Amino acid sequence: MNDAILRPAPSPERAAVVDLIQRGRAAMKALAGAPQERIDEAVAALAWSVYKPENALALAQLAVEDTGLGNVQDKVTKNQRKTFGTLRDLLRVRTVGVIEEDRARGLVKYGKPVGVVAAICPSTNPAATPVNKAMMALKGANAVVIAPSPSGAATTTRTVALMR
């Protein structure tokens, strides 16, 4: 008997997830073998997309409007400080290719991607969380799928558009 007859058709939600994973894998192929310097440039570009003063302000205003939480100035501060701090920490480490050598023991440690990363973002932080999670995923040459909170979806969607 044909197995396809016994298997139910995939739901639209499942099909959407499969599509996102396939797109993520294609993005990872575009970065495959990239040197650490190129990865770091891409991570810095992601950070700048939210840190940039006019973007930090616009995202903060949208977040307050979108979620009804917090105030604009605190959101600007959060967007910039959290993003800059994460960038500072990430740029200090090697994550792709040879990341460590112990010549005395004859060991070499290699960094390589783990796959497509899912990132759930809260309504309390709909701009800084997506960019920070994306920076961490990209630092290891991974792709990321951002899942926004329904009440912060407009802000997270705008953040992702800026990152792209």
Side-chain angles (χ1 to χ4, degrees):
M1 183 175 245
N2 186 342
D3 286 342
I5 295 172
L6 298 176
R7 242 182 273 131
S11 68
E13 294 83 5
R14 180 173 171 76
V17 169
V18 167
D19 179 59
L20 289 169
I21 292 169
Q22 289 173 340
R23 290 171 51 197
R25 288 180 178 154
M28 287 178 63
K29 284 181 184 175
L31 273 180
Q36 188 69 63
E37 297 74 26
R38 178 66 185 119
I39 297 294
D40 288 347
E41 287 174 359
V43 170
L46 283 179
W48 181 246
S49 71
V50 169
Y51 186 88
K52 189 176 183 180
E54 58 268 29
N55 291 348
L57 175 60
L59 290 170
Q61 290 168 334
L62 183 56
V64 170
E65 178 184 315
D66 199 15
T67 66
L69 301 171
N71 66 70
V72 172
Q73 189 51 54
D74 288 349
K75 295 279 186 197
V76 169
T77 300
K78 181 186 273 190
N79 290 345
Q80 290 186 313
R81 285 187 183 168
K82 184 176 172 92
T83 301
F84 183 77
T86 300
L87 176 65
R88 181 194 62 229
D89 293 344
L90 289 175
L91 292 181
R92 295 178 180 176
V93 295
R94 294 199 55 80
T95 55
V96 295
V98 176
I99 60 173
E100 186 180 326
E101 282 188 75
D102 183 343
R103 293 186 190 274
R105 295 172 55 196
L107 298 175
V108 178
K109 192 183 287 187
Y110 292 91
K112 62 180 190 172
V114 296
V116 180
V117 176
I120 299 170
C121 299
S123 59
T124 54
N125 207 8
T129 296
V131 75
N132 282 269
K133 287 184 175 191
M135 288 164 45
M136 290 181 239
L138 184 57
K139 181 67 176 183
N142 298 291
V144 64
V145 175
I146 305 288
S149 163
S151 65
T155 306
T156 300
T157 299
R158 179 69 182 131
T159 302
V160 170
L162 289 168
M163 288 191 293
R164 285 185 176 143

